[in-house]
Amino acid sequence: MRCKSRRQNTAEIKCPMCKRLGEAIHYLVVKTVVKKEVEAMVINEEYYTCRNNDCQVIIYNHDHNRVFLIQDINLSADFNGVTKDSTKTCGGSCGNGCQK
């Protein structure tokens, strides 16, 4: 199962830097992987991960006014579906927007 955006199809939400398609991620996952210095910027809204390994953007929101770069991520955090190489599942944290 993959997370499906409630606002728009995730295919419509592109990375602000590389313009590749993003994948939806729950804001609570974002809170667990960003550094403490930027954690207050994470609010209850939809976020997306950039899957392009050559891009500096890791996570961004729908309006692109919250963008987290590689240097904003706590590299010792459990990425569980946030890293560019993994396949994430909803695991119950996506609310009611899961699809098979």
Side-chain angles (χ1 to χ4, degrees), residues 67-87:
V67 176
F68 300 100
L69 305 175
I70 291 172
Q71 65 260 23
D72 298 322
I73 304 300
N74 178 358
L75 297 178
S76 65
D78 178 12
F79 280 75
N80 188 25
V82 177
T83 60
K84 295 178 184 291
D85 297 336
S86 66
T87 302

Side-chain angles (χ1 to χ4, degrees), residues 42-93:
V42 180
I43 61 172
N44 184 356
E45 65 181 344
E46 293 181 21
Y47 289 90
Y48 303 87
T49 59
C50 178
R51 309 298 276 181
N52 179 359
N53 287 327
D54 296 324
C55 186
Q56 293 292 308
V57 173
I58 302 295
I59 300 168
Y60 56 96
N61 71 341
H62 178 267
D63 298 324
H64 297 155
N65 61 356
R66 285 181 174 70
V67 176
F68 300 100
L69 305 175
I70 291 172
Q71 65 260 23
D72 298 322
I73 304 300
N74 178 358
L75 297 178
S76 65
D78 178 12
F79 280 75
N80 188 25
V82 177
T83 60
K84 295 178 184 291
D85 297 336
S86 66
T87 302
K88 60 187 174 18
T89 60
C90 287
S93 64

Side-chain angles (χ1 to χ4, degrees), residues 5-36:
S5 170
R6 285 171 270 149
R7 185 182 295 179
Q8 291 187 23
N9 182 332
T10 57
E12 297 172 8
I13 309 300
K14 295 180 180 180
C15 172
M17 187 174 285
C18 71
K19 307 300 183 210
R20 290 203 185 170
L21 303 178
E23 292 188 27
I25 185 171
H26 195 273
Y27 85 97
L28 290 176
V29 175
V30 177
K31 272 192 171 285
T32 65
V33 298
V34 296
K35 290 182 178 176
K36 293 290 180 195

